[in-house]
Amino acid sequence: MKTVKEPIVTLVGAGPGSSDLITVRGLKALKAADVVLYDALIDEDLLLQIDDSIPKIYVGKRCSKHSFTQDDINMLIVENAFKFGHVVRLKGGDPFVFGRAHEEIDYVESFGIPVTVVPGVSSAIAVPSSQGIPMTRRGVSSSFWVMTATKRDGSFSEDLKHASQSSATMVILMGVRKLKEISSEVNKYRGYLTPMAVIQNGTMQNESCKVGTLGSINSDVLDIDLSKPGIIVIGDVVAEHPSFFEEEVQRVLHSGM
């Protein structure tokens, strides 16, 4: 006779990309799962840490390629909790940074299923750090804003305007597809020489980082794969990137030829 396990759910932040950046607590929860529902951008090496007998269900959402709606995911979490027992909902970065964690928690708890959250390393901070770009630096930037570029209707968030009018470091998630529009919008409030970086595949072996300025990024946009997600960093701290000044010198030399 098959033993019916008590349904429980753990939301685990997988970290910014590389499989070894998950927390110790997160990895323990993952290895204790009876079923795993995982997002897009989860390192496949992390899934290899799970026993082969454990079901692994992909529920990733990508721009124009949504495999499941959020409502679908909510229902799948509950269905699998009652079917298998311990569901680990594996989410990229940290569950509470644009991860819709509260929507999932509210739905799951409405069925009387207990939910535990294991925080993750947020890509908003970790990915720039992996490139040597700090969020704050004494005498350069005393604060930072983390935001998405656009609202649900596709229009720019008011936060983009407010952050642009400040001296804070700006970290923009889910905005690569509108890179030119974002740089033009921010340029209304910050000078065209303001340093800017676009980082893709952060913390992975194929990580790429393009550094430039608000004025030069439009000429570099053809070298950036706009179909892939990434993180945009705007502010004087980007000048801390090891290749920033070298890149700028090369642009000036080429523009004069």
Side-chain angles (χ1 to χ4, degrees), residues 114-153:
V115 180
T116 301
V117 177
V118 179
V121 178
S122 174
S123 61
I125 298 174
V127 169
S129 294
S130 73
Q131 284 288 331
I133 301 173
M135 292 295 93
T136 61
R137 180 173 177 179
R138 186 167 55 178
V140 178
S141 175
S142 60
S143 63
F144 61 95
W145 291 47
V146 178
M147 70 203 82
T148 56
T150 57
K151 297 183 289 188
R152 182 175 295 183
D153 63 5

Side-chain angles (χ1 to χ4, degrees), residues 152-164:
R152 182 175 295 183
D153 63 5
S155 62
F156 280 133
S157 166
E158 284 296 305
D159 287 341
L160 185 68
K161 175 181 177 181
H162 296 321
S164 299

Side-chain angles (χ1 to χ4, degrees), residues 171-189:
V171 183
I172 304 168
L173 308 180
M174 298 175 279
V176 171
R177 288 175 179 270
K178 291 198 171 185
L179 180 59
K180 293 181 70 173
E181 294 91 332
I182 290 169
S183 61
S184 296
E185 180 69 15
V186 177
N187 195 198
K188 294 177 182 178
Y189 310 98

Side-chain angles (χ1 to χ4, degrees), residues 165-237:
Q165 293 174 316
S166 76
S167 60
T169 302
M170 298 173 62
V171 183
I172 304 168
L173 308 180
M174 298 175 279
V176 171
R177 288 175 179 270
K178 291 198 171 185
L179 180 59
K180 293 181 70 173
E181 294 91 332
I182 290 169
S183 61
S184 296
E185 180 69 15
V186 177
N187 195 198
K188 294 177 182 178
Y189 310 98
R190 299 197 185 193
Y192 70 93
L193 292 178
T194 301
M196 183 176 186
V198 179
I199 310 167
Q200 295 179 294
N201 299 312
T203 74
M204 305 292 284
Q205 288 187 346
N206 60 338
E207 180 178 63
S208 67
C209 179
K210 294 287 185 180
V211 293
T213 64
L214 287 174
S216 69
I217 201 67
N218 285 341
S219 62
D220 293 337
V221 75
L222 295 178
D223 296 328
I224 298 170
D225 188 346
L226 301 182
S227 67
K228 293 182 179 180
I231 291 177
I232 301 169
V233 187
I234 302 173
D236 290 339
V237 292

Side-chain angles (χ1 to χ4, degrees), residues 14-15 17 38-47 90-93 204:
Y38 66 98
D39 275 347
L41 306 181
I42 297 297
D43 188 348
E44 291 185 3
D45 286 345
L46 190 55
L47 300 179
L90 190 61
K91 305 171 78 69
M204 305 292 284

